[in-house]
Amino acid sequence: MKIGLIVNPVSGLGGTVALKGSDGADIQARAVALGAIPRAAERMAEALGVLAPRVGPDTIWLTAGGPMGADLASGLGLPGTVEIVHEPARPSAADDTGRAAVAMAQRDVDLILFAGGDGTARDMVAAIGADAPALGVPSGVKMYSAVFAVSSRAAGALAAGFLARAGGATALREVMDLDEAAYRAGAVETSIYGYLSAPETTSGLQGGKSASGVGERTEAMVIARKLRAAMQTGVGYLVGPGSTLAELKELCGGGTLIGVDLVRDGGMTARDLDGAALLREAASGPCRIVTTLIGGQGFLFGRGNRQITPDVLRAVGVGHVDVAATRAKLIGLQGRPLLVDTGDADLDNELARPVRVTTGQGEVMVRVRSASAIEENE
Amino acid sequence: MKEIASFRRDENGKPKNRRYHQARWDEPIIFELDQPGERGICVPEASDTIREAAGDVLARLPAGMRRSAPPALPQISQNRVLRHYLRLSQENLGADFNVDIGQGTCTMKYNPKVNEHIARSHKVSELHPHQPAQTVQGMLDVVYRFEQIMKEVSGMDRFSFQPRAGSQAIYANAAVIRAYHEANGEGDQRDEVITTMFSHPSDAACAVVCGYKVITIMPDEDGYPDFEAFKAALSERTAGILFTNPEDTGVFNPRIREFTDAAHAVGAICAYDQANANGLLGITRTLEAGFDLCHFNLHKTFSTPHACGGPACGAQGATARLAPFLPRPQTVKTDNGYVIDDDMPQSVGKVSSFMGVLSMVVRAYAWVMNLGADGLREVAEIATLNNNYLMHEMLKLRGIEVPYTLESPRIEQVRYSWVKLFEETGVHSGELGVRLADFGLHYWTSHHPFVVPEPATIEPTEAYSRADLDEFVRALAQVVDEAYTDPEKVKTAPHACPIHKVDESSFEDPASWAVTWRGYQRKLSGGDQASGG
């Protein structure tokens, strides 16, 4: 068994000193000057504390040199052998994460554990896409991506469970990131940068092969058939990003994972439309928006689908929004509401009412809140 | 002098863990024990006199009812039949063998054997459902009296004992909802039913079988059904709500009246899934919670046996407004005794044959009469006390948690979570439950999907003593300790049971299993056509 370990040594530096992220060498330098402590190695050690006792002595740990994993691996005395597949620059640079991941994927790694935040996940997805299973150990400042376990220990447990089942189930999970420069200036701009192939969580689902068990992918296919069957002729469907909706796009002739695509009369008619193009469609005739939960926090609008601008939403009409999601994703919210953050406070308030979410089994009614209202209350 | 061995099983006032091993018999299927010519009972040949008096008996049967060939039953002597089934029973973990508190939500209370005695008496067992009403006045009297008891327990105005299972009673409730709206000309308009994530899955399933679209309400952060989402789900399309309370978590929703009031405000019917009402008897009632319909599983709260999936009785109750829609026939008391009233033009019809499984009504009636009204309330109080004592002891175990608010005590059961233990050891909740089988115990996780991660649902009922509960916790404590010190031992369990691991992958392949001997033969011979259907 081959397990990849990548520690982003500068991840999380900015957050502890209120710099809102750690992207860019000068920010990292400022963070260190302000007394920031790197958290990623510590978080990875916690994850390995759970994982290491549950792997065999024949395990091969693939990692990157120095602070990117090798120091930690030798310090912890992991069972098995440690191989360094990439020597990073000192200090390490952003492309070191990608280079290490590529080297691991080439060695047919069973799972890459990476400790970092959204920026690290972006480097991962840019380098390997969904070529190798990967799981994030949360240690960044902002984590909008859905590729992180809820805690470092949970990451270790999830990894152990996944590795114990040879060829365990994976699901495509969004990698999202804020534009940190804009964020520091007070604006939240998030985009989807791609999808990593991550182990399916066991908490919301039953593990293993059970007769009544339906995997997330299967449920997404059931949802896709339901949504397509309910589509009306003459109506334009603006289908947003997300792995759940990717199955619908596939059914309609193939679309994009991270874009907003147009489906009309059951067929794909345009892909990856920007805000202006969407507005033209909305103005040209009856349209509906089809959306799903984006990222680990359950955003409906405002994260990863900024193309659906407030103008587009108003032109289509807030009553013409269809929401779909797998039950596992809804359960993963643990009672929290869905969030909207379109950048238009009035529109957010209009959207902040319970929505019917189409699942593989009937509909589920879920509360929606304006993210900015929640932040103000906190 | 040599000391006489002690068989006491307690240590410092607490029961010791059992040294247990289940029996293993490599027993064939009974059809494979077939010995041509062997008989259980040798019926003597009829004398000539009888033969002549009877004439050609077979010719009197309608041609369509005569067998062309004898039934394909195994030919086997009585003692071998008995041996066969006793051996199988030893390979099982029956309710009367163990501290059966691990099948949470199922209310596995003790089934008093005196009630079995009454139900199996010829006065009950030899009645024929086609007998005229005047010849079964005693049985109808029991039905009538038990209906009065159930009316008092619930506040409802009429009951039907026809449904033969809890799910069938839920189906009957959904059917009554549909019939009511159809009678009011709103059948087409009202096409949605609302349920909650922690209600029994049959509530959603039965509504779908009745043709309804189902909307599920998720629990909020505190574990209660999300009221804001519920209100938003209600509309002029809502036909009814199918709710459990307390839900499977054991949490009682104190705002239930607000839910039913809001549902009534849009013209919906409220059906209360009281399959398990073991924490409610004599404390709260269906009517006061604002419901129009309900059902009670006599095999849960009212102590009748579960009997491996039936036959059972799901007692269905309705207010006067909905009573005309209940299944027919109904038992009606008149000045000239009881009659079986089949003239119910608005009834949903039959959900099962005749009047249901009346032997279960007899058992439940005997149970209630034994306890009296105060005794019923005491059942609920002790069941709740037992549960809260058990939770107190369970929470001392490492790696266990109780999700959602602990401000109010749990009612009759608790859905625990072993997610912490799983994260620390890699051992799943289901594996802990299986390892318990090595101590002659077991527990169940939860319905799917697992909203509570790594769940375990335990329901002690009123039937078990403090020593019984201590024995369960003590065995579980050892299993938990093993999960931390020797997880492989737990993951490879059971070690003391004849069946070790079931390969569940075969469940998904219909070609590799059969539920009847005939089906097995058919699959063995290569399909339906080969066997001639």
Side-chain angles (χ1 to χ4, degrees), chain A residues 50 54 153-154 157 202-204 206 209-212 327 330-331 334-337 354 356 362-365 367 369, chain B residues 192 197 213-219 221 226 228-229 232-233 422-426 448-451 453 504 508:
Chain A
V50 176
R54 288 159 53 189
R153 299 188 63 84
T202 53
S203 60
Q206 53 193 337
K209 306 175 202 166
S210 180
S212 60
R327 290 202 155 203
L330 293 176
I331 288 165
Q334 291 294 314
R336 285 178 283 118
R356 289 174 177 227
E363 291 177 348
V364 174
M365 203 79 188
R367 273 175 300 150
R369 287 276 183 277
Chain B
E192 293 179 348
M197 193 55 122
K213 220 170 103 178
V214 172
I215 301 161
T216 305
I217 306 300
M218 297 287 281
E221 287 98 326
D226 189 321
E228 185 187 330
F422 168 68
E423 287 178 3
E424 289 169 354
T425 66
H448 294 125
F450 287 176
V451 177
E504 294 187 0
E508 289 167 19

Side-chain angles (χ1 to χ4, degrees), chain B residues 111-165:
Chain B
N111 312 140
K113 298 305 170 247
V114 65
N115 301 345
E116 289 298 309
H117 183 73
I118 298 167
R120 291 177 192 199
S121 120
H122 69 278
K123 295 175 186 174
V124 176
S125 65
E126 292 184 7
L127 294 184
H128 194 283
H130 278 309
Q131 273 181 247
Q134 61 268 32
T135 69
V136 288
Q137 289 291 303
M139 178 57 91
L140 295 180
D141 190 41
V142 170
V143 171
Y144 176 81
R145 285 165 183 266
F146 190 59
E147 183 182 12
Q148 307 317 305
I149 291 167
M150 295 306 285
K151 283 160 66 174
E152 186 61 35
V153 162
S154 64
M156 297 286 104
D157 296 311
R158 280 241 74 165
F159 268 81
S160 166
F161 303 120
Q162 194 180 70
R164 285 168 187 248

Side-chain angles (χ1 to χ4, degrees), chain A residues 88-111:
Chain A
R90 305 292 169 95
S92 61
D95 67 345
D96 280 316
T97 297
R99 286 167 192 273
V102 167
M104 290 170 190
Q106 283 168 352
R107 292 285 308 275
D108 289 328
V109 68
D110 292 291
L111 177 69

Side-chain angles (χ1 to χ4, degrees), chain A residues 234-236 264 279-288 315-316:
Chain A
V235 176
R264 201 179 276 282
L279 200 55
R280 280 195 299 277
E281 285 300 329
S284 72
C287 280
R288 292 188 76 85
V316 171

Side-chain angles (χ1 to χ4, degrees), chain B residues 340-390:
Chain B
I340 300 171
D341 179 16
D342 205 23
D343 182 23
M344 298 173 60
Q346 290 191 296
S347 163
V348 296
K350 286 176 182 294
V351 295
S352 154
S353 53
F354 303 110
M355 296 176 72
V357 188
L358 292 187
S359 69
M360 292 301 172
V361 173
V362 170
R363 287 177 175 92
Y365 177 68
W367 186 75
V368 173
M369 291 309 287
N370 199 358
L371 284 163
D374 291 343
L376 282 188
R377 185 187 169 97
E378 202 179 344
V379 163
E381 288 170 348
I382 295 179
T384 306
L385 180 65
N386 264 358
N387 184 46
N388 282 278
Y389 170 74
L390 183 73

Side-chain angles (χ1 to χ4, degrees), chain B residues 325-471:
Chain B
F325 302 94
L326 286 174
R328 64 182 173 82
Q330 285 271 344
T331 303
V332 175
K333 189 179 188 181
T334 70
D335 293 341
N336 299 317
Y338 296 103
V339 295
I340 300 171
D341 179 16
D342 205 23
D343 182 23
M344 298 173 60
Q346 290 191 296
S347 163
V348 296
K350 286 176 182 294
V351 295
S352 154
S353 53
F354 303 110
M355 296 176 72
V357 188
L358 292 187
S359 69
M360 292 301 172
V361 173
V362 170
R363 287 177 175 92
Y365 177 68
W367 186 75
V368 173
M369 291 309 287
N370 199 358
L371 284 163
D374 291 343
L376 282 188
R377 185 187 169 97
E378 202 179 344
V379 163
E381 288 170 348
I382 295 179
T384 306
L385 180 65
N386 264 358
N387 184 46
N388 282 278
Y389 170 74
L390 183 73
M391 180 168 74
H392 180 261
E393 294 299 300
M394 293 277 284
L395 284 174
K396 294 175 184 169
L397 301 175
R398 190 174 171 192
I400 200 169
E401 289 164 301
V402 174
Y404 306 121
T405 177
L406 272 174
E407 280 168 20
S408 54
R410 295 303 194 262
I411 309 296
E412 83 295 9
Q413 64 192 8
V414 177
R415 180 153 294 159
Y416 300 90
S417 174
W418 289 108
V419 72
K420 198 158 166 275
L421 178 137
F422 168 68
E423 287 178 3
E424 289 169 354
T425 66
V427 175
H428 287 286
S429 172
E431 293 169 326
L432 297 177
V434 170
R435 169 64 177 144
L436 268 185
D438 288 333
F439 300 91
L441 301 165
H442 77 113
Y443 79 64
W444 175 71
T445 51
S446 128
H447 298 115
H448 294 125
F450 287 176
V451 177
V452 170
E454 298 296 336
T457 314
I458 321 282
E459 182 188 9
T461 79
E462 75 287 2
Y464 292 95
S465 68
R466 183 171 166 177
D468 289 337
L469 305 184
D470 286 342
E471 178 180 339

